[in-house]
Amino acid sequence: MNTLEFKKGLLYASIELKYEDESIIIQDVIIDTGASHTIIAPEYLEKMDIPLLDDDELVKATGYGGMISYSIRKKIDKIKCGDLVLKDFKVDFGIIDPDNRINGLIGLDFLVSSKSIIDLVDLTIYRG
């Protein structure tokens, strides 16, 4: 189970990413049921020393208000949000918030695959 924080009208969590021997905990990630894919700020590629590979995908996304942006979709060894853990999961790395107030979005791809239940009474997220 992972406790969520409700602030500024959004649900925030922390996640852990693991790639080869590197792992990092990322704070201020929004649980976003309106996002089809999980996306993390691109500076975490550099912080974890994750190389660009030939099988990475360049992804075009349309966000709120029709804004178009591009990201790199990479397979990560593990993504973890509390007791929700997925292995060999594809995560997008791209600009989410130009003002750097959030570090990522947990999208429906993660929420559905991990069989997440979001409890809005107790502000927790856990596996169903």
Side-chain angles (χ1 to χ4, degrees):
M1 184 177 315
N2 192 19
T3 301
L4 302 174
E5 184 178 358
F6 185 70
K7 60 183 180 181
K8 300 178 186 173
L10 299 169
L11 293 172
Y12 286 79
S14 62
I15 63 169
E16 179 182 359
L17 294 182
K18 182 168 177 37
Y19 184 85
E20 295 181 351
D21 294 331
E22 297 290 328
S23 69
I24 192 166
I25 294 176
I26 304 172
Q27 305 291 333
D28 292 326
V29 177
I30 294 174
I31 304 295
D32 189 349
T33 61
S36 59
H37 291 282
T38 299
I39 183 167
I40 304 298
E43 65 253 21
Y44 291 99
L45 284 171
E46 187 176 329
K47 286 182 181 183
M48 293 181 67
D49 199 28
I50 299 175
L52 295 177
L53 303 172
D54 289 341
D55 62 346
D56 294 340
E57 300 171 61
L58 180 63
V59 179
K60 179 181 177 182
T62 304
Y64 181 74
M67 183 180 83
I68 295 175
S69 63
Y70 292 90
S71 59
I72 301 292
R73 184 166 293 159
K74 296 192 65 57
K75 188 185 289 186
I76 298 298
D77 295 335
K78 181 172 78 171
I79 181 171
K80 180 178 177 185
C81 181
D83 62 352
L84 304 171
V85 179
L86 294 176
K87 295 182 179 177
D88 298 323
F89 187 74
K90 289 188 177 183
V91 173
D92 293 358
F93 289 88
I95 303 292
I96 308 140
D97 176 14
D99 296 325
N100 293 320
R101 293 169 296 196
I102 61 170
N103 295 317
L105 304 174
I106 295 291
L108 280 178
D109 57 344
F110 178 87
L111 297 170
V112 170
S113 295
S114 65
K115 299 176 176 39
S116 298
I117 293 177
I118 301 169
D119 183 336
L120 297 175
V121 174
D122 294 328
L123 291 180
T124 57
I125 186 170
Y126 56 91
R127 185 175 174 85

